[in-house]
Amino acid sequence: MKCIIADRPIEYDGSQISSLWAYTVYKVQEDSVVCFRGPCDVTPGHMIDLEDKLNEEKISSPDMIHFIVEHFDSTSVALAYTRQRLLSCIAGEALRDRKVFATRSGDDLYFGGEKASISIASASAVSMKIHFGINVRCDEWGSLEKAGVYDPDELMAEIGSRYAAEHDDIQRDMRKSRPLGAFS
Amino acid sequence: MKCIIADRPIEYDGSQISSLWAYTVYKVQEDSVVCFRGPCDVTPGHMIDLEDKLNEEKISSPDMIHFIVEHFDSTSVALAYTRQRLLSCIAGEALRDRKVFATRSGDDLYFGGEKASISIASASAVSMKIHFGINVRCDEWGSLEKAGVYDPDELMAEIGSRYAAEHDDIQRDMRKSRPLGAFS
Amino acid sequence: MKCIIADRPIEYDGSQISSLWAYTVYKVQEDSVVCFRGPCDVTPGHMIDLEDKLNEEKISSPDMIHFIVEHFDSTSVALAYTRQRLLSCIAGEALRDRKVFATRSGDDLYFGGEKASISIASASAVSMKIHFGINVRCDEWGSLEKAGVYDPDELMAEIGSRYAAEHDDIQRDMRKSRPLGAFS
Amino acid sequence: MKCIIADRPIEYDGSQISSLWAYTVYKVQEDSVVCFRGPCDVTPGHMIDLEDKLNEEKISSPDMIHFIVEHFDSTSVALAYTRQRLLSCIAGEALRDRKVFATRSGDDLYFGGEKASISIASASAVSMKIHFGINVRCDEWGSLEKAGVYDPDELMAEIGSRYAAEHDDIQRDMRKSRPLGAFS
Amino acid sequence: MKCIIADRPIEYDGSQISSLWAYTVYKVQEDSVVCFRGPCDVTPGHMIDLEDKLNEEKISSPDMIHFIVEHFDSTSVALAYTRQRLLSCIAGEALRDRKVFATRSGDDLYFGGEKASISIASASAVSMKIHFGINVRCDEWGSLEKAGVYDPDELMAEIGSRYAAEHDDIQRDMRKSRPLGAFS
Amino acid sequence: MKCIIADRPIEYDGSQISSLWAYTVYKVQEDSVVCFRGPCDVTPGHMIDLEDKLNEEKISSPDMIHFIVEHFDSTSVALAYTRQRLLSCIAGEALRDRKVFATRSGDDLYFGGEKASISIASASAVSMKIHFGINVRCDEWGSLEKAGVYDPDELMAEIGSRYAAEHDDIQRDMRKSRPLGAFS
C-alpha cells in the first residue's frame, strides 16, 4: 500500500472522496493513502454522510491535515468503516507518542473534550474510500494547535505511513493463518 | 453484538478459537465477544498461526484475560484481521484510561517494552473468529500486574463492552452513507 | 431488523427504491421494512425493471399497501431477489390466514387469476432494496377489496412484522450451524 | 438448475448434507435439488445444527420425502438460509394446492399443529447446501399421511421442480434490474 | 452463457459497456457475450479507463470486431479483469488456429509488433462487463487485414462461442472440486 | 505476487494443494506461484477432483514441471478456475514462443493430440489454490520431451514469472477503471 504526501496544499471540498481521485491526480495504481494539508469546505453535493446533509451541517475548517484512503480489494462498507476506525486509532496513537492525549469516540478524535476531526467512509462498485481530517487550527472546535502540536505536517506523514504499514502487516498475517474448524 | 462475561475461569487451550464455541457454551445466537480469565496453554493441534506452529513456540501463560470474538456477517480473513487490530487498539485505549501506556505493534501490546499479549484471527466457512489475550501475571513477559493494573476483571469487561459497542456503532454508520461516484 | 409503519399515506413514485430512503425519512440505522399505504405512479426515470421501462408499461394504481425493504449486510442481487420471493410468500401466508387464497408466481400474487401486486429488487454499492406492493383497490387488476380483505392496514402491518421476524430468525439460525465437509 | 428424482429409496443419515454428494451419486455438474424418499436417521457426527447435537435430539423418521439442495454460486450462509425458507414456503404452497393447509414457522411445516418437517442449511468453502424433509408417516409427529396426502412421490417431484424453476426465474430477474442510486 | 452474433453492424461508442445493454437490445436474461462488427468511436463521457481519459486518447477505428461480455454472478473487478485476460487469450488461440500469430501483452493483442486491439473491464452494482475489440482494418495500428485474416465475421463468431463454452466449462469444473484443507 | 523457483526437485503427491503449503515451506507471506520439478503421484486422499477420485484414476508421471498458485484475496472458486485457465493459456503462449504449438482445451494442454498436463483448482476458507503440471517426459501421454522442449526448467521459470507478472498487471488495471452505470 502506497503512502503519498502531497507536495502542495489541497482544499478538501468533498470531491476527493470519489473513487479514483488518487489515480487521477497521482497516477497511483496501488491501494493508497494520500495525505495533504489544506482548508475544508464540503459542498452539499459531495456530502456522503446523509446525517450531515439532512442537518445541513457546515463541514468546513480553515486548516486541516487530511487522509484519503482507497482500497480496491473489496467494496464492503463494513470493512471500509472498520478500516476507518483503525485509522482513527492510529491517529490517536501517533498523537499519544507526541504526548497529546486524544479521546476517540467512533471515528472522532477529541482534544480536551473538543471534537477535532471529521470522517466518512463509503464504497462505489470499484473501491472503498475513507476521508479523515484533523483540525490544525480552528476557533470553534478542537485543533492540533490548541493541543500543542506544532508539527502537523510531520504528524500527517507519520499517521499516513503507519496506516500503510498496518495494512501491509495485516496482509502478511492473513497469509499465515490456518482455516478454522467447528467446535465439537 | 453481545458481550458475555464468563462467570468462572476458563483455560484457553486453543479449542475456543473454533467456530461456534460461544454457541456451544452460552447458546448465544448473535455476533459475540466472550471475555474470560484463566491460564493459557495452546496445544499444537489448535495452533492457527502457522508461524508459531513451525517455530514450535510455546503459547502459555499462568493467568490472562481473554477475548473470543465471533462474527457471522462475513468470512473475510482481511476483515477478521482488521477487526483484530481494532480490538487491540481498544485494549490500548482502555489501558490508557487507567494511566497504563501500552505500545501497540500490529496485534501485540507491549508494556514497558515487554510483549504482554497474544492474538490470532481466522475464518471457517461459517464465521470469522479472533482470540486476544493479555497477561495478568507472567514472569517472562509483560503483564498487567507489572504494569500496575490491579483490576484485570474490570478491565476485561470494559474492553469487551467497548468492542461490542464499537461494532454496533459501525453498523449504524454503515446505514447512513451514500454510495460513491467516480472522480471526473 | 426494524419494521416501520408509516403514520400517513405516501405515494409510491419509484424514488423510494433508492438506497437510504428509509434513513432520510425515518432516521432508521438498522435493516428495515417500511410499510405504507398510498397510490402508485412510477415515473419512467425511477423504473428499475428494464422490462417495464422498455415496454413503456404504466405502473400505477389508485391505492396499494407498499413494503420498502432495505438490507445493508450484502449487495448481492441474487440474495435481494431471494428475499423478495420470501416476502411474496409471507404475504401469501398472511392472506391465507385471512382465508384469501392467492396464487404466487415468482414475485407476483394473483387473486382469482388476476395479478394483484408489483415488485422489484436491486442493489446499489451500499445496500439492497425491495419494493413490493399489493393493490388495495383497482379496476383493471386484482385487489384486496375484490378478494374480500377489508383491513388492508392491519394486513400490511402483519406482513411487515412477519418479514422482519423471519429475517431475525434466519440470523439466529445462521449462528448455530456447523460448516460442512465434503462427501467422501 | 437441475431437479433430480431418485429412482430408489435412500436413507437420509446426514452424510448427504456434505458438499458434492449430488456429484458423487449423480455426476451432476449444475446447481441441483435431489429429491428422494426414505427413512431418516441422522448420526450425531453428521448433525450440522448444533442445537440438535447439544440437546442430543434424535433426528429420525421411518419414511420421509427429502430434498437435498446444492448451490455453487455463493457460500453465504445468509443466502443458504433464505433459500431454505423459500423452499419451505414452496412446499407449503404445493401442499395448499392439494388442499392441505400447513403452517410454516421458520423452516418448519406444521400439519394441524404437529411439526412435520426437519431442515438444516450450511456451507463449505465450495458450496451451500440445504436438507429439507417432510414426514410421510410418523407416529409421534405430523405427517403427510395424517394430513391426507396419499401421493408423496408426486408431491416430492412437484416441490423439487418448483424450487428449481423458482431459482431459474430469480436468475432471469437478476438480469433485467438496473443498479440503484441513492435517495436525495 | 449465451453467445449472440449481431445481425447488423453496430458502432461501438462506449455506451455498450454499461450494464444491461445486452438486455435492452436483445432481451437476453443470461450471462452473455454479444459479438458485432462496426466502427469504434468512444466519446470521452463513456471512457471507463481513466488513463485514456486523462491522456485524451482518441479511441477510434473504422472497422472492428467487438465483444461485449456481461456476467451477473459477481461484481468483483478482479474477476472481471481475469476474465478479460482469458478472452484475450482465447482470441489469440483462435487466431493461431488461422495461422496468425498474435502476441498478447495483458489485454492487448499485437500483430507483427503493432497493437491491434482495445479493451476495458469494470463493474456496476449489478454486473461486470468487458469490451474487447480487434481492428479489422486500420491505417495507424495493427489489423486483421494486415495480418491476413479475411474472414473477420467468422473469426468473431468463433471467439465469442469459445468464450461462452469456456465459461460453461468453468462452471462445470467448479461443481466437482472438493474444498481444501490446510497443509500440516 | 511472488514467483518462487524451488532449488530442488519435489514430488507432487497432492499435499501441496492444501492452503498454506507455500508458507510452510518458503515462509512466503504474499500471493505466490511456486514452481518445481519432480515426479507426480497423487494419493487418493489428496484428490480434489472428485471425477478422478470416483474413476480411481491414477494421477502419476515420472517427471513434470509443477506450478502451485495460492491467492488470499478471495476464496471464490469461480475466480480460482478462471485464474487456472489463464495459467494454462500462459503456458501455451510460453510454449508457442519456443515454437511448440500446444492445443488448450479447458485446463488441459495437448501436444500433437496427446494430453500433456494435469490441473486442479479449489478453495479453503482462507485461500484459493491451483495446481498445474506439465509432463517433462512420459511414455503414455504427451510430454515436453516429445514436443522438443529441452529446457523444461527454463520454461518453468518463464511460465511462473509470466503468471505473477500478469497478476500484478491485473491488479494495476483494476485501479484505473471507473465504475459502470446502466444503459438507458
Side-chain angles (χ1 to χ4, degrees):
Chain A
M1 179 172 198
K2 187 139 190 174
C3 175
I4 295 170
I5 312 293
D7 57 3
R8 55 178 183 82
I10 299 176
E11 184 191 42
Y12 182 75
D13 61 12
S15 66
Q16 296 88 350
I17 196 69
S18 302
S19 284
L20 296 165
W21 171 77
Y23 174 75
T24 308
V25 179
Y26 297 102
K27 302 285 171 295
V28 58
Q29 286 176 274
E30 295 171 71
D31 284 9
S32 66
V33 48
V34 181
C35 312
F36 58 88
R37 192 169 162 182
C40 172
D41 195 358
V42 182
T43 55
H46 283 125
M47 279 188 192
I48 294 303
D49 187 332
L50 272 183
E51 191 175 10
D52 297 335
K53 203 178 173 189
L54 295 174
N55 297 345
E56 295 184 10
E57 286 205 47
K58 207 168 141 288
I59 302 182
S60 71
S61 171
D63 191 3
M64 296 185 102
I65 52 174
H66 298 277
F67 305 90
I68 297 285
V69 173
E70 185 162 23
H71 294 280
F72 292 81
D73 60 342
S74 157
T75 58
S76 153
V77 183
L79 179 49
Y81 269 106
T82 309
R83 283 171 167 168
Q84 179 214 44
R85 294 308 203 260
L86 187 54
L87 173 56
S88 182
C89 288
I90 287 170
E93 291 171 344
L95 283 162
R96 207 209 54 178
D97 292 350
R98 280 160 171 77
K99 312 292 175 208
V100 175
F101 299 97
T103 306
R104 184 182 66 84
S105 173
D107 56 4
D108 287 321
L109 291 181
Y110 290 80
F111 299 158
E114 285 187 315
K115 190 183 159 186
S117 67
I118 55 170
S119 186
I120 188 68
S122 192
S124 73
V126 302
S127 71
M128 66 173 68
K129 297 231 15 187
I130 304 165
H131 170 249
F132 184 63
I134 306 173
N135 288 326
V136 172
R137 57 193 169 76
C138 188
D139 291 338
E140 302 158 66
W141 302 92
S143 73
L144 292 171
E145 204 174 68
K146 289 187 204 170
V149 177
Y150 301 111
D151 60 341
D153 294 295
E154 200 190 345
L155 174 71
M156 181 180 80
E158 175 78 16
I159 293 170
S161 65
R162 282 194 193 184
Y163 181 81
E166 185 90 51
H167 177 75
D168 294 347
D169 198 46
I170 286 172
Q171 292 293 313
R172 284 188 295 271
D173 278 3
M174 280 171 60
R175 287 160 170 84
K176 59 170 187 164
S177 300
R178 297 195 302 159
L180 301 177
F183 189 76
S184 57
Chain B
M1 180 173 197
K2 187 138 192 176
C3 175
I4 295 170
I5 312 294
D7 57 2
R8 56 180 182 81
I10 299 175
E11 185 191 42
Y12 182 75
D13 60 12
S15 66
Q16 296 89 349
I17 196 68
S18 303
S19 283
L20 296 165
W21 172 76
Y23 173 76
T24 307
V25 178
Y26 297 102
K27 303 284 173 294
V28 59
Q29 285 176 273
E30 296 171 71
D31 285 11
S32 65
V33 48
V34 181
C35 313
F36 58 87
R37 192 168 162 184
C40 173
D41 195 359
V42 183
T43 55
H46 283 125
M47 279 187 191
I48 295 301
D49 187 332
L50 273 182
E51 191 175 10
D52 298 332
K53 202 177 173 186
L54 295 174
N55 297 345
E56 295 184 10
E57 286 206 46
K58 207 168 142 287
I59 302 181
S60 70
S61 172
D63 190 5
M64 296 186 103
I65 51 175
H66 299 276
F67 306 90
I68 298 286
V69 173
E70 185 162 24
H71 294 281
F72 292 82
D73 60 340
S74 157
T75 57
S76 153
V77 183
L79 180 49
Y81 268 106
T82 309
R83 283 171 167 167
Q84 179 214 44
R85 296 307 205 259
L86 187 54
L87 173 57
S88 183
C89 289
I90 286 170
E93 291 171 344
L95 283 162
R96 206 211 56 179
D97 292 350
R98 282 161 170 77
K99 311 294 175 205
V100 175
F101 298 98
T103 306
R104 184 182 68 83
S105 173
D107 57 2
D108 287 322
L109 292 182
Y110 291 81
F111 301 156
E114 285 187 315
K115 188 181 161 188
S117 67
I118 56 171
S119 188
I120 189 68
S122 191
S124 74
V126 301
S127 71
M128 66 173 66
K129 297 232 18 190
I130 304 166
H131 170 249
F132 184 63
I134 307 173
N135 288 326
V136 172
R137 56 195 170 74
C138 189
D139 291 338
E140 302 159 66
W141 304 91
S143 72
L144 292 171
E145 203 173 69
K146 289 188 204 168
V149 177
Y150 301 111
D151 61 342
D153 295 294
E154 201 189 346
L155 174 70
M156 178 179 81
E158 176 77 17
I159 293 170
S161 64
R162 282 194 192 185
Y163 180 82
E166 186 89 51
H167 177 75
D168 293 347
D169 198 47
I170 286 171
Q171 292 293 315
R172 281 188 297 271
D173 278 3
M174 280 172 60
R175 286 162 171 83
K176 59 170 190 166
S177 299
R178 296 196 303 160
L180 301 177
F183 189 75
S184 60
Chain C
M1 180 172 199
K2 187 141 192 173
C3 175
I4 295 171
I5 312 294
D7 56 4
R8 55 179 183 81
I10 299 176
E11 185 191 42
Y12 182 74
D13 61 11
S15 66
Q16 296 87 350
I17 195 68
S18 303
S19 284
L20 296 165
W21 172 76
Y23 174 75
T24 307
V25 178
Y26 297 102
K27 303 286 173 296
V28 59
Q29 287 176 274
E30 296 170 71
D31 285 11
S32 65
V33 50
V34 182
C35 312
F36 58 88
R37 191 168 163 184
C40 173
D41 195 359
V42 182
T43 55
H46 283 125
M47 280 189 192
I48 295 304
D49 187 330
L50 273 182
E51 191 175 11
D52 298 333
K53 204 179 173 186
L54 295 173
N55 297 345
E56 294 184 10
E57 286 205 46
K58 207 166 143 285
I59 303 181
S60 70
S61 173
D63 190 4
M64 294 187 103
I65 52 174
H66 298 277
F67 305 90
I68 298 286
V69 173
E70 185 162 24
H71 293 280
F72 292 82
D73 59 341
S74 158
T75 57
S76 153
V77 183
L79 180 49
Y81 269 105
T82 309
R83 283 170 168 168
Q84 179 215 42
R85 295 306 204 261
L86 187 54
L87 173 55
S88 183
C89 288
I90 287 170
E93 291 171 343
L95 283 162
R96 206 209 55 176
D97 292 351
R98 282 162 172 74
K99 311 292 174 207
V100 175
F101 299 97
T103 305
R104 185 182 67 84
S105 174
D107 56 4
D108 287 322
L109 291 182
Y110 291 80
F111 301 157
E114 286 187 313
K115 189 182 160 188
S117 67
I118 56 171
S119 187
I120 188 68
S122 192
S124 74
V126 302
S127 70
M128 67 172 66
K129 296 230 19 186
I130 303 165
H131 170 249
F132 184 64
I134 306 173
N135 288 326
V136 172
R137 56 194 169 76
C138 189
D139 291 337
E140 302 159 67
W141 304 91
S143 73
L144 292 172
E145 206 174 65
K146 288 188 207 170
V149 177
Y150 301 110
D151 60 341
D153 294 294
E154 201 189 344
L155 174 71
M156 178 179 82
E158 176 78 16
I159 294 170
S161 65
R162 281 194 194 184
Y163 181 82
E166 185 90 52
H167 177 75
D168 294 347
D169 198 47
I170 287 172
Q171 291 294 313
R172 283 189 295 271
D173 278 4
M174 280 171 61
R175 287 161 169 85
K176 60 170 189 164
S177 300
R178 297 196 303 161
L180 301 176
F183 188 76
S184 59
Chain D
M1 182 174 196
K2 187 138 192 174
C3 175
I4 295 170
I5 312 293
D7 56 4
R8 55 177 183 84
I10 300 176
E11 184 190 43
Y12 182 75
D13 60 13
S15 67
Q16 295 88 349
I17 196 68
S18 303
S19 284
L20 297 164
W21 171 76
Y23 173 75
T24 307
V25 179
Y26 297 101
K27 300 287 172 293
V28 59
Q29 285 175 276
E30 295 171 71
D31 285 10
S32 65
V33 49
V34 181
C35 312
F36 58 87
R37 191 167 163 186
C40 172
D41 194 358
V42 183
T43 55
H46 282 126
M47 280 188 192
I48 295 302
D49 187 331
L50 272 182
E51 192 175 8
D52 298 333
K53 201 177 174 188
L54 294 174
N55 296 345
E56 296 184 8
E57 287 205 45
K58 208 168 142 285
I59 302 181
S60 70
S61 173
D63 190 4
M64 296 186 102
I65 52 174
H66 299 276
F67 305 90
I68 297 286
V69 173
E70 185 162 25
H71 294 280
F72 293 81
D73 60 341
S74 158
T75 57
S76 154
V77 183
L79 180 49
Y81 269 106
T82 309
R83 284 170 167 169
Q84 179 214 42
R85 294 310 203 257
L86 188 54
L87 173 56
S88 182
C89 289
I90 287 169
E93 291 172 344
L95 283 162
R96 208 209 54 177
D97 292 352
R98 281 161 172 73
K99 311 295 175 203
V100 175
F101 299 97
T103 306
R104 184 183 66 84
S105 174
D107 56 4
D108 287 322
L109 291 182
Y110 291 81
F111 300 158
E114 286 187 314
K115 190 180 159 190
S117 67
I118 55 171
S119 188
I120 189 67
S122 191
S124 74
V126 301
S127 71
M128 66 173 68
K129 297 229 20 186
I130 304 167
H131 170 249
F132 184 63
I134 307 173
N135 288 327
V136 172
R137 56 192 170 75
C138 188
D139 292 336
E140 302 159 66
W141 305 91
S143 72
L144 292 171
E145 205 173 65
K146 290 187 205 170
V149 177
Y150 302 110
D151 60 342
D153 294 294
E154 199 189 346
L155 174 71
M156 179 179 80
E158 176 77 17
I159 294 171
S161 65
R162 282 195 193 185
Y163 182 81
E166 186 88 52
H167 177 75
D168 293 347
D169 198 46
I170 287 172
Q171 293 293 314
R172 283 189 295 270
D173 278 2
M174 280 173 58
R175 286 162 172 83
K176 59 171 190 164
S177 300
R178 296 196 303 160
L180 302 176
F183 188 77
S184 61
Chain E
M1 181 174 197
K2 187 140 192 172
C3 175
I4 295 170
I5 312 294
D7 56 4
R8 55 179 183 82
I10 299 176
E11 184 191 43
Y12 182 74
D13 60 11
S15 66
Q16 295 88 349
I17 196 68
S18 303
S19 284
L20 296 165
W21 171 76
Y23 173 76
T24 307
V25 179
Y26 297 101
K27 301 286 172 296
V28 59
Q29 286 176 275
E30 293 172 72
D31 285 10
S32 65
V33 50
V34 181
C35 311
F36 57 89
R37 190 167 164 184
C40 172
D41 194 358
V42 183
T43 55
H46 282 127
M47 279 188 190
I48 295 302
D49 187 330
L50 273 182
E51 191 174 10
D52 298 333
K53 203 179 173 187
L54 295 174
N55 297 346
E56 294 183 11
E57 286 205 46
K58 208 167 142 288
I59 303 181
S60 69
S61 173
D63 190 4
M64 296 186 101
I65 51 173
H66 299 276
F67 305 90
I68 298 286
V69 173
E70 184 162 24
H71 294 280
F72 292 82
D73 60 341
S74 157
T75 58
S76 153
V77 183
L79 180 49
Y81 269 106
T82 308
R83 284 170 167 168
Q84 180 214 43
R85 295 307 204 259
L86 187 55
L87 173 56
S88 183
C89 289
I90 287 170
E93 291 171 344
L95 283 161
R96 206 208 55 176
D97 292 351
R98 280 161 172 73
K99 311 292 174 210
V100 174
F101 299 97
T103 306
R104 185 183 65 85
S105 174
D107 55 5
D108 288 322
L109 292 182
Y110 291 80
F111 300 157
E114 286 187 313
K115 188 182 160 187
S117 67
I118 56 170
S119 187
I120 188 67
S122 192
S124 73
V126 302
S127 70
M128 65 172 67
K129 296 230 19 187
I130 304 165
H131 170 248
F132 183 64
I134 306 172
N135 288 326
V136 172
R137 55 192 170 76
C138 187
D139 291 338
E140 303 159 65
W141 304 92
S143 72
L144 292 171
E145 205 174 66
K146 291 188 205 170
V149 177
Y150 301 110
D151 60 342
D153 294 294
E154 199 189 346
L155 174 71
M156 179 179 81
E158 174 79 15
I159 294 171
S161 64
R162 281 196 194 183
Y163 181 82
E166 185 90 51
H167 176 75
D168 294 347
D169 198 45
I170 287 172
Q171 292 293 314
R172 282 189 295 271
D173 277 3
M174 279 172 60
R175 287 161 170 84
K176 60 171 189 164
S177 300
R178 297 195 303 159
L180 302 175
F183 187 76
S184 59
Chain F
M1 181 172 196
K2 188 142 192 172
C3 175
I4 295 170
I5 311 294
D7 56 3
R8 55 180 182 82
I10 299 176
E11 184 192 43
Y12 181 75
D13 60 13
S15 66
Q16 295 91 347
I17 197 67
S18 303
S19 283
L20 297 164
W21 172 75
Y23 173 76
T24 307
V25 178
Y26 297 101
K27 302 286 172 295
V28 59
Q29 286 175 275
E30 293 171 72
D31 284 10
S32 65
V33 49
V34 181
C35 312
F36 57 89
R37 190 168 163 184
C40 172
D41 194 358
V42 182
T43 55
H46 282 125
M47 280 188 191
I48 295 302
D49 187 331
L50 273 182
E51 192 175 8
D52 298 333
K53 204 178 171 187
L54 295 174
N55 298 345
E56 294 184 11
E57 287 206 45
K58 208 167 141 285
I59 302 181
S60 70
S61 173
D63 191 4
M64 295 186 103
I65 52 173
H66 298 276
F67 305 91
I68 297 286
V69 173
E70 185 162 24
H71 294 280
F72 292 82
D73 61 341
S74 159
T75 56
S76 154
V77 183
L79 180 49
Y81 268 106
T82 309
R83 284 171 166 167
Q84 179 215 43
R85 296 306 205 258
L86 188 53
L87 173 56
S88 182
C89 288
I90 287 170
E93 292 171 343
L95 283 162
R96 207 211 53 178
D97 292 351
R98 280 162 172 76
K99 311 293 175 207
V100 175
F101 299 97
T103 305
R104 183 182 68 82
S105 174
D107 56 3
D108 287 322
L109 292 182
Y110 291 80
F111 299 158
E114 286 186 314
K115 190 181 159 191
S117 68
I118 55 170
S119 187
I120 189 66
S122 192
S124 74
V126 302
S127 71
M128 67 173 65
K129 297 229 22 188
I130 304 165
H131 170 249
F132 184 64
I134 306 172
N135 288 326
V136 173
R137 56 193 170 76
C138 188
D139 292 336
E140 303 158 66
W141 304 92
S143 73
L144 293 172
E145 205 173 65
K146 291 189 204 167
V149 178
Y150 302 109
D151 60 342
D153 294 295
E154 201 189 344
L155 174 71
M156 177 180 80
E158 176 77 15
I159 293 170
S161 65
R162 281 194 193 186
Y163 181 82
E166 186 88 52
H167 177 75
D168 293 348
D169 198 45
I170 286 172
Q171 292 293 314
R172 282 189 297 271
D173 278 3
M174 280 172 58
R175 287 162 170 83
K176 60 170 188 162
S177 300
R178 296 196 304 159
L180 301 176
F183 188 76
S184 59

